[in-house]
Structures are given as structure tokens and as C-alpha cells.
Amino acid sequence: MQKAIRQNIFDNAKHWVYEAGERIRDHMQQQFQIDTKSNPNDLVTEVDKATEQFFAEKIRSTYPDHKLIGEEGYGDRVESVDGTIWIIDPIDGTMNFVHQKRNFAISIGIYSDGIGEIALIYNVMDDVLYTALKGEGAYRNQDKLPMLSEEVKLETSIIGMNSILACENKRVNEKRVQQLIKDTRGTRSYGSAALEFAYVAEGIMDAYITMKLAPWDFAAGYILVDEVGGMTTQATGEPVNVLTNNTIVTCNKQIYQSIIKEYIEFK
């Protein structure tokens, strides 16, 4: 993607993210409908749907040749990484949005022919925007994030993980996960994959591990972590596929091999 074109797309996306964030904050002062999707804990609200529709309308009117992958049904049927694809989660951390009114984010990853070019992760209630342009580094608001430390060790690491221990027909060896918890300084679960990627990129968390994420959960974070020298793969060590669900290990490179080889084992 040409630099001038990428900058134009980024500028529009950033403007739309801030506008969407303001709309979400306004909606939170009103009552809104809460529904479930795949199970009672898989929540969706009319705010999720309205926010994705907002982005879909902006993208299609401004960039009619671009494609959209979204969580709430306003996306396209995308079977190839060819062209420019916006991968959007309008509210990543809907359960936090419903119960806590905080700790959720708008997440947008923009890919060109399979290459991650632009990332935006907006912590709506804290008004913190994480951004990245390929080859230009990552930012927290206006501050450029430093490259991840080369001094990190597993025993002094903070690891993010969620409670999902199964992927497809395989299940993680719980004893190895328990050992990982014992061998690190501590574990955290924030309930928003996008924010957990952002915290890894910021260096305030050293890894995030989960056994099932959809493209809209990780598309932006993948780019963000890469721009600060981090590592993101599937839990098997295979490359991430941005068109399907994946297991995910994203972390400081200094502890990547240890996590993959010593603690991730499938039954």
C-alpha cells in the first residue's frame, strides 16, 4: 500500500473511531437492549450493532472497493486476503461494556493483500487510542511506544490469559498451564482481547494467551505488537490466519520459545 494512500485511510479511520467512541458514550446514558448469540455469556447489544453499521456505512461510501469483516453482521463474505480489508470489532469486551461500563475497546485492523497496514484500538472510557502504521511504530495517544524490552524473563513476567482451554477438538494440558502460572510473576484477565494485545505492546503485560480468537478480536492487536518487536503466532507456533478463528500467543520475543515449547501442550 502506498504511503499517501495509507495515511489517508488512517486519518479517516482515526476520525471515525473517535466519533464512534463519542456515540457509544452517549448511548451509555440510555437504556439499551442486550441479547445473546452462541451462548448465555456471548452478549451483543444494539450499541455493538449500531457501531458496526456506522463503520460499514463510512467505509462503503468512502472506499467502495474495500471489504469489511465484522462481528455483528454488517461485513462482507471474505474468502481471500486480496485487496484492502477492514477487520472490525465495534465493542471488544461486550460483557465488560454491559456489566462494568469500562474496559472495552473499538478494534480496527486494516490489511492490504494479507499484510497488516493499520491498527487502531480505542479504550473508549479512558479515551486512550493505540495506533500503528506498518513500519512506523506504535503509539499510545501521541506517545510513541518503545520497542519491547530485551531484559524480560519468564519468572518476572505478567501473563494475560482467559479461561478458554479448548480449541476445536483439542484441549490444552491444564497441568502445564498451572505450571506456567506458578512460574511467572502473575496472571491477568481483562476481558478484552484488543486491550490485552495493547497492553502487551505497551510492555505493561508480557504475554497474552488464548485458545480461541476471531479475526476481529486480534486483527489490530497483531499489527500493534509487531510494530514494537513482539511475536504473535498460533499456540502451535504456526502463523496466524486473519480470516479464521485462531489460538493465539502474543508476547515479548524473549519469552516466546519458552511459552510455546514448555507450557503449551495439547491433549
Side-chain angles (χ1 to χ4, degrees), residues 89-107:
D89 195 335
I91 297 180
D92 183 72
T94 302
M95 191 177 294
N96 290 350
F97 170 70
V98 170
H99 287 271
Q100 301 175 345
K101 305 296 188 290
R102 58 178 59 85
N103 299 323
F104 62 89
I106 298 170
S107 178

Side-chain angles (χ1 to χ4, degrees), residues 139-211:
Y139 289 78
R140 183 187 189 274
N141 291 332
Q142 303 305 313
D143 299 323
K144 190 171 185 177
L145 297 177
M147 300 298 285
L148 295 180
S149 172
E150 296 182 0
E151 306 300 321
V152 169
K153 297 179 180 179
L154 189 68
E155 58 265 29
T156 57
S157 293
I158 297 292
I159 309 292
M161 60 178 64
N162 63 23
S163 60
I164 299 174
L165 295 178
C167 62
E168 298 178 347
N169 297 321
K170 298 183 291 186
R171 187 171 179 83
V172 176
N173 187 327
E174 293 94 335
K175 290 184 179 180
R176 299 307 302 157
V177 175
Q178 291 167 2
Q179 190 61 49
L180 175 62
I181 294 170
K182 293 177 182 178
D183 290 347
T184 58
R185 180 161 282 171
T187 57
R188 300 289 185 270
S189 181
Y190 291 96
S192 166
L195 288 180
E196 288 174 292
F197 267 93
Y199 296 157
V200 171
E202 192 175 352
I204 60 176
M205 199 161 69
D206 301 296
Y208 172 55
I209 304 168
T210 180
M211 292 301 112

